[in-house]
Every structure is written in structure tokens, then in C-alpha cells.
Coordinates of all heavy atoms in Angstrom, one line a residue:
P1 N 97.9 106.9 89.6 CA 96.9 105.8 89.7 C 97.0 104.9 88.5 O 97.1 105.3 87.4 CB 95.6 106.6 89.8 CG 95.9 107.9 89.1 CD 97.4 108.2 89.4
Y2 N 96.9 103.6 88.8 CA 97.0 102.6 87.7 C 95.8 101.8 87.5 O 95.3 101.6 86.4 CB 98.3 101.7 88.0 CG 98.7 101.0 86.7 CD1 99.6 101.6 85.8 CD2 98.3 99.7 86.5 CE1 100.0 101.0 84.7 CE2 98.7 99.1 85.3 CZ 99.6 99.7 84.5 OH 100.0 99.0 83.3
D3 N 95.3 101.3 88.6 CA 94.1 100.4 88.5 C 93.2 100.7 89.6 O 93.6 101.3 90.6 CB 94.6 98.9 88.6 CG 93.5 97.9 88.1 OD1 92.5 98.4 87.5 OD2 93.7 96.7 88.3
L4 N 91.9 100.4 89.4 CA 90.9 100.7 90.5 C 89.8 99.7 90.5 O 89.6 99.0 89.5 CB 90.4 102.1 90.3 CG 89.8 102.5 88.9 CD1 88.3 102.2 88.8 CD2 90.0 104.0 88.7
T5 N 89.2 99.6 91.6 CA 88.0 98.7 91.8 C 87.2 99.2 93.0 O 87.7 99.8 93.9 CB 88.4 97.2 92.0 OG1 87.3 96.4 91.9 CG2 89.1 97.0 93.3
F6 N 85.9 98.9 92.9 CA 85.1 99.1 94.1 C 85.1 97.9 94.9 O 84.9 96.8 94.4 CB 83.6 99.5 93.7 CG 83.5 100.9 93.2 CD1 83.7 101.3 91.9 CD2 83.3 101.9 94.1 CE1 83.6 102.6 91.5 CE2 83.2 103.2 93.7 CZ 83.3 103.6 92.4
G7 N 85.3 98.0 96.2 CA 85.3 96.9 97.1 C 83.9 96.5 97.6 O 82.9 97.3 97.4
P8 N 83.7 95.4 98.3 CA 82.4 95.0 98.9 C 81.9 96.0 99.9 O 80.7 96.0 100.2 CB 82.7 93.7 99.5 CG 84.2 93.6 99.7 CD 84.8 94.5 98.7
D9 N 82.7 96.9 100.5 CA 82.3 97.9 101.4 C 81.8 99.1 100.7 O 81.4 100.1 101.4 CB 83.4 98.2 102.4 CG 84.6 98.8 101.7 OD1 84.7 98.8 100.5 OD2 85.5 99.2 102.5
G10 N 81.9 99.2 99.4 CA 81.5 100.4 98.6 C 82.5 101.4 98.4 O 82.3 102.4 97.7
S11 N 83.7 101.2 99.0 CA 84.8 102.1 98.8 C 85.5 101.9 97.5 O 85.5 100.8 96.9 CB 85.9 101.9 99.9 OG 85.3 102.3 101.2
L12 N 86.1 102.9 96.9 CA 86.9 102.8 95.7 C 88.4 102.6 96.1 O 88.9 103.4 96.9 CB 86.8 104.1 94.9 CG 87.6 104.1 93.6 CD1 87.1 103.1 92.6 CD2 87.5 105.5 93.0
Y13 N 89.0 101.5 95.6 CA 90.4 101.2 95.9 C 91.2 101.5 94.7 O 90.8 101.1 93.6 CB 90.5 99.8 96.3 CG 89.8 99.5 97.7 CD1 88.5 99.2 97.7 CD2 90.6 99.6 98.9 CE1 87.9 99.0 99.0 CE2 90.0 99.4 100.1 CZ 88.6 99.1 100.1 OH 88.0 98.9 101.3
V14 N 92.3 102.2 94.8 CA 93.1 102.6 93.7 C 94.6 102.2 93.9 O 95.1 102.6 95.0 CB 93.0 104.1 93.5 CG1 93.8 104.5 92.2 CG2 91.6 104.6 93.3
A15 N 95.2 101.5 93.0 CA 96.6 101.2 93.1 C 97.4 102.4 92.6 O 97.2 102.9 91.5 CB 96.9 100.0 92.2
G16 N 98.3 102.9 93.5 CA 99.1 104.0 93.2 C 100.5 103.5 92.8 O 101.3 103.1 93.7
L17 N 100.8 103.5 91.5 CA 102.0 102.9 91.0 C 103.3 103.5 91.7 O 104.1 102.8 92.1 CB 102.1 103.2 89.5 CG 103.3 102.6 88.8 CD1 103.3 101.1 88.7 CD2 103.4 103.2 87.4
L18 N 103.4 104.8 91.8 CA 104.6 105.4 92.3 C 104.4 105.8 93.8 O 105.4 106.2 94.5 CB 105.0 106.7 91.5 CG 105.4 106.4 90.1 CD1 105.9 107.7 89.4 CD2 106.5 105.4 90.1
S19 N 103.2 105.7 94.4 CA 103.1 105.9 95.8 C 103.2 104.6 96.6 O 103.2 104.6 97.8 CB 101.7 106.6 96.1 OG 100.6 105.9 95.6
N20 N 103.3 103.5 95.8 CA 103.5 102.2 96.5 C 102.5 101.9 97.5 O 102.8 101.4 98.6 CB 104.9 102.1 97.1 CG 106.0 102.2 96.0 OD1 105.9 101.7 94.9 ND2 107.1 102.9 96.3
A21 N 101.2 102.1 97.2 CA 100.2 101.9 98.1 C 98.8 101.7 97.4 O 98.7 102.0 96.2 CB 100.0 103.2 99.0
I22 N 97.9 101.1 98.1 CA 96.5 101.0 97.7 C 95.8 102.0 98.5 O 95.7 102.0 99.7 CB 95.9 99.6 97.9 CG1 96.8 98.5 97.3 CG2 94.5 99.5 97.5 CD1 96.9 98.6 95.8
H23 N 95.2 103.0 97.8 CA 94.5 104.1 98.4 C 93.0 103.8 98.4 O 92.5 103.1 97.5 CB 94.7 105.4 97.6 CG 96.2 105.7 97.5 ND1 96.8 106.5 98.4 CD2 97.1 105.4 96.6 CE1 98.1 106.6 98.0 NE2 98.3 105.9 96.9
R24 N 92.3 104.3 99.4 CA 90.9 104.1 99.6 C 90.1 105.4 99.6 O 90.5 106.4 100.2 CB 90.6 103.3 100.9 CG 89.2 103.0 101.1 CD 88.9 102.1 102.2 NE 89.7 102.4 103.4 CZ 89.8 101.7 104.5 NH1 89.1 100.6 104.6 NH2 90.5 102.1 105.5
Y25 N 89.0 105.4 98.8 CA 88.2 106.6 98.7 C 86.8 106.3 99.0 O 86.3 105.2 98.6 CB 88.3 107.3 97.3 CG 89.7 107.7 97.0 CD1 90.7 106.8 96.4 CD2 90.1 109.0 97.3 CE1 92.0 107.2 96.2 CE2 91.4 109.4 97.1 CZ 92.3 108.5 96.5 OH 93.6 108.9 96.3
H26 N 86.0 107.2 99.5 CA 84.6 107.0 99.8 C 83.9 106.8 98.4 O 84.1 107.5 97.5 CB 84.0 108.2 100.5 CG 82.6 108.0 101.0 ND1 81.5 108.1 100.1 CD2 82.2 107.7 102.2 CE1 80.4 107.9 100.8 NE2 80.8 107.6 102.1
G27 N 83.1 105.7 98.4 CA 82.6 105.3 97.1 C 81.5 106.2 96.5 O 81.2 106.1 95.3
S28 N 80.9 107.1 97.3 CA 79.9 108.0 96.8 C 80.5 109.5 96.6 O 80.0 110.2 95.7 CB 78.7 108.1 97.8 OG 78.1 106.9 97.9
T29 N 81.4 109.9 97.5 CA 81.9 111.2 97.5 C 83.3 111.4 96.9 O 83.6 112.5 96.5 CB 81.9 111.8 98.9 OG1 82.9 111.2 99.7 CG2 80.5 111.8 99.5
G30 N 84.1 110.3 96.8 CA 85.4 110.4 96.4 C 86.4 111.0 97.4 O 87.6 111.2 97.1
V31 N 86.0 111.2 98.6 CA 86.8 111.8 99.6 C 87.9 110.7 100.0 O 87.5 109.5 100.2 CB 86.0 112.2 100.9 CG1 86.9 112.6 102.0 CG2 85.1 113.4 100.5
S32 N 89.1 111.1 100.2 CA 90.2 110.2 100.5 C 89.9 109.6 101.9 O 89.7 110.4 102.9 CB 91.5 110.9 100.5 OG 92.5 110.0 101.0
L33 N 90.1 108.3 102.1 CA 90.0 107.7 103.4 C 91.3 107.2 103.8 O 91.4 106.4 104.8 CB 89.0 106.5 103.3 CG 87.5 106.9 102.9 CD1 86.7 105.6 102.7 CD2 86.9 107.8 103.9
G34 N 92.4 107.6 103.1 CA 93.7 107.2 103.5 C 94.2 106.0 102.7 O 93.4 105.4 101.9
N35 N 95.4 105.5 103.1 CA 95.9 104.3 102.5 C 95.2 103.1 103.1 O 95.0 103.0 104.3 CB 97.4 104.2 102.7 CG 98.2 105.1 101.9 OD1 97.7 105.8 101.0 ND2 99.5 105.3 102.3
F36 N 94.8 102.2 102.2 CA 94.3 100.9 102.7 C 95.5 100.0 103.1 O 95.5 99.4 104.2 CB 93.5 100.2 101.6 CG 93.0 98.9 102.0 CD1 92.0 98.7 103.0 CD2 93.5 97.7 101.5 CE1 91.5 97.5 103.4 CE2 93.1 96.5 101.9 CZ 92.1 96.4 102.8
T37 N 96.5 100.0 102.3 CA 97.7 99.3 102.7 C 98.9 99.9 101.9 O 98.8 100.4 100.8 CB 97.6 97.8 102.4 OG1 98.8 97.1 102.9 CG2 97.6 97.5 100.9
A38 N 100.1 99.8 102.6 CA 101.3 100.2 101.9 C 102.5 99.4 102.4 O 103.6 99.7 102.3 CB 101.6 101.7 102.2
G39 N 102.1 98.3 103.1 CA 103.2 97.5 103.7 C 103.6 96.3 102.9 O 103.2 96.1 101.8
G40 N 104.4 95.5 103.5 CA 104.8 94.2 102.9 C 105.6 94.4 101.7 O 105.5 93.6 100.7
N41 N 106.4 95.4 101.7 CA 107.3 95.7 100.5 C 106.5 95.9 99.2 O 107.0 95.5 98.1 CB 108.4 94.6 100.3 CG 109.4 94.6 101.5 OD1 109.7 95.7 101.9 ND2 109.8 93.5 101.9
L42 N 105.3 96.4 99.3 CA 104.5 96.7 98.1 C 105.2 97.7 97.3 O 105.5 98.8 97.7 CB 103.1 97.2 98.5 CG 102.1 97.5 97.4 CD1 101.8 96.2 96.7 CD2 100.9 98.1 98.0
T43 N 105.5 97.3 96.0 CA 106.3 98.2 95.1 C 105.6 98.3 93.8 O 105.3 97.3 93.1 CB 107.7 97.7 94.9 OG1 108.3 97.5 96.2 CG2 108.5 98.6 94.1
A44 N 105.2 99.5 93.4 CA 104.6 99.8 92.1 C 103.4 98.9 91.8 O 103.4 98.2 90.8 CB 105.7 99.7 91.0
P45 N 102.4 98.9 92.6 CA 101.2 98.1 92.3 C 100.6 98.5 91.0 O 100.4 99.7 90.8 CB 100.3 98.3 93.5 CG 100.7 99.6 94.0 CD 102.2 99.7 93.8
T46 N 100.2 97.5 90.2 CA 99.7 97.8 88.9 C 98.3 97.1 88.7 O 97.7 97.3 87.6 CB 100.6 97.4 87.7 OG1 100.9 96.0 87.9 CG2 101.9 98.2 87.8
G47 N 97.8 96.4 89.6 CA 96.6 95.7 89.4 C 95.9 95.3 90.7 O 96.6 94.9 91.6
I48 N 94.6 95.4 90.8 CA 93.9 95.0 92.0 C 92.6 94.4 91.5 O 92.1 94.7 90.5 CB 93.6 96.1 93.0 CG1 93.0 97.3 92.3 CG2 94.9 96.5 93.7 CD1 92.7 98.4 93.3

């Protein structure tokens, strides 16, 4: 994990540098909600 932010929907979004994805977590419990996105040749995201 490299960078993180809370979205307008209350979810926590985390840039996974080596997973090449933006992961989404429940904003209150931290439970994984799966990848928000991993497409479009996303490689080593470091900021959101």
C-alpha cells in the first residue's frame, strides 16, 4: 500500500503499488470490498 484516501461514499481507497490496483475497504470496518479498479494498464499506482 502506498497512498490512501476516503472517498465521497465513505469507503477507504488504497493504491497498491505492487498489486497494480486501487483497493476499496469499508470506511468503518476496514473489510475489503475488492478492487475498485485494476484496468487500463494501471502500473504501480503511487498516489490517489
Side-chain angles (χ1 to χ4, degrees):
Y2 197 85
D3 197 10
L4 52 90
T5 190
F6 282 91
D9 63 352
S11 295
L12 177 65
Y13 293 86
V14 182
L17 180 70
L18 296 182
S19 53
N20 297 323
I22 305 300
H23 302 271
R24 182 171 43 187
Y25 297 88
H26 189 279
S28 298
T29 66
V31 170
S32 174
L33 301 174
N35 288 348
F36 177 71
T37 187
N41 293 324
L42 183 63
T43 304
T46 57
I48 54 177

